[in-house]
Amino acid sequence: MAVAGTGGPGSKRSHMPMPTDKIKETIAEVLPGIVATADKHGKPNVSAKGSVRVLDDDHLGFADINSARTIANLRENPSISVLVLHPKSMRGCRIWGQAEVLDSGEMFDQLSKEYAERNIKVNHVVKVTVEEALDSF
């Protein structure tokens, strides 16, 4: 469903269930992504993630390197929001979804191997099922 936005002249903000090609490109190009979670009582946590990536049309993922609060929150409350904002244009996207914390499997092994090459240990991998995406391009 398209929704007129107030993102400035010529802005074409829209709500969509899955990421568009432009949103996918932005996520691939702009790091870090900002991840927001909340515990079961609603106490928020915001954390920068340098590993946010598009997995497919329905999923994002990122590695947990040192994010104990993020992981604890997601285990209590899997709702998550991801903000990716281009620093020069101040345009980007927001993704809302449900997260799954993984500590084994193909995706975990792939990211662990990628980060091991840089001597970084991956504790968990978070897979986000996209429920809604909002762009401000």
Side-chain angles (χ1 to χ4, degrees):
M1 128 177 71
V3 178
T6 58
S11 176
K12 296 177 183 170
R13 294 173 67 182
S14 61
H15 288 277
M16 60 211 68
M18 300 302 161
T20 63
D21 288 340
K22 184 65 175 166
I23 288 174
K24 291 176 190 176
E25 290 170 16
T26 300
I27 291 169
E29 294 172 1
V30 179
L31 292 176
I34 307 301
V35 171
T37 62
D39 67 16
K40 65 183 175 186
H41 303 291
K43 183 177 181 181
N45 182 63
V46 178
S47 182
K49 305 294 179 211
S51 60
V52 174
R53 61 191 64 195
V54 174
L55 302 175
D56 58 38
D57 285 346
D58 300 320
H59 300 93
L60 302 180
F62 62 88
D64 160 33
I65 307 303
N66 189 21
S67 303
R69 173 84 41 111
T70 297
I71 298 304
N73 283 356
L74 291 173
R75 289 188 178 189
E76 292 181 2
N77 174 5
S79 295
I80 190 169
S81 181
V82 179
L83 172 67
V84 178
L85 189 64
H86 195 284
K88 289 185 180 178
S89 69
M90 296 306 287
R91 300 219 185 260
C93 61
R94 286 186 233 175
I95 306 286
W96 290 269
Q98 296 296 305
E100 178 182 5
V101 178
L102 307 173
D103 57 14
S104 64
E106 184 179 337
M107 188 173 142
F108 178 84
D109 293 343
Q110 177 185 354
L111 282 173
S112 293
K113 181 179 177 185
E114 178 184 322
Y115 278 85
E117 293 171 1
R118 297 187 276 172
N119 294 318
I120 299 171
K121 181 182 183 302
V122 172
N123 297 312
H124 304 91
V125 170
V126 176
K127 183 177 181 180
V128 179
T129 300
V130 176
E131 295 177 331
E132 183 179 359
L134 172 70
D135 70 40
S136 63
F137 304 108

